[in-house]
Amino acid sequence: MLTRTMIELKPIDNDNEETVRIYNLTKESCERLNNYLLDFVETIQILTERKNKLAAGGDFTAVNEVDESIAFVESKISEVTDSMKRIAEWMPALVELKEVQ
């Protein structure tokens, strides 16, 4: 099973209305980033299925095109994951990374 990195905002203990509002906006941003990454992972799964069908049908030219698409999406996954890691390094008091399957 594929393991992927997810970013999570650490909980805060604060009753200040403005702080809570900013916290919630930041939490939503983390969730969007995680969903963005999950979309890429799902795209890889779809492309892999397509590649397997094309290979079974003997269309190896199309298989090569799908391989290129997979490589492109994998590079995007790497970019997003690296960004998450940098965010966690810059703000360790606020966010943490989780490895999930």
Side-chain angles (χ1 to χ4, degrees):
M1 175 137 272
L2 179 66
T3 301
R4 58 192 167 270
T5 302
M6 306 297 272
I7 193 166
E8 188 174 287
L9 194 61
K10 293 180 180 180
I12 62 167
D13 186 21
N14 195 310
D15 294 331
N16 180 289
E17 207 172 289
E18 189 64 14
T19 300
V20 171
R21 184 185 73 78
I22 293 169
Y23 177 85
N24 287 333
L25 289 171
T26 306
K27 185 175 181 179
E28 289 173 12
S29 294
C30 287
E31 290 170 1
R32 281 193 301 272
L33 191 56
N34 288 332
N35 287 332
Y36 187 58
L37 182 64
L38 291 175
D39 286 346
F40 281 139
V41 170
E42 186 175 329
T43 299
I44 292 285
Q45 293 169 343
I46 292 167
L47 287 170
T48 301
E49 289 174 15
R50 181 170 181 229
K51 175 184 167 182
N52 292 339
K53 287 180 185 177
L54 291 168
D59 190 351
F60 297 107
T61 301
V63 167
N64 289 336
E65 291 172 3
V66 174
D67 278 337
E68 290 173 10
S69 295
I70 289 171
F72 175 78
V73 175
E74 286 174 340
S75 74
K76 293 300 175 186
I77 289 172
S78 180
E79 286 178 25
V80 173
T81 301
D82 289 345
S83 294
M84 289 176 168
K85 289 176 182 176
R86 282 194 305 272
I87 291 168
E89 288 171 3
W90 293 336
M91 299 183 286
L94 297 175
V95 297
E96 64 184 339
L97 296 178
K98 302 252 177 164
E99 298 294 326
V100 295
Q101 292 188 346

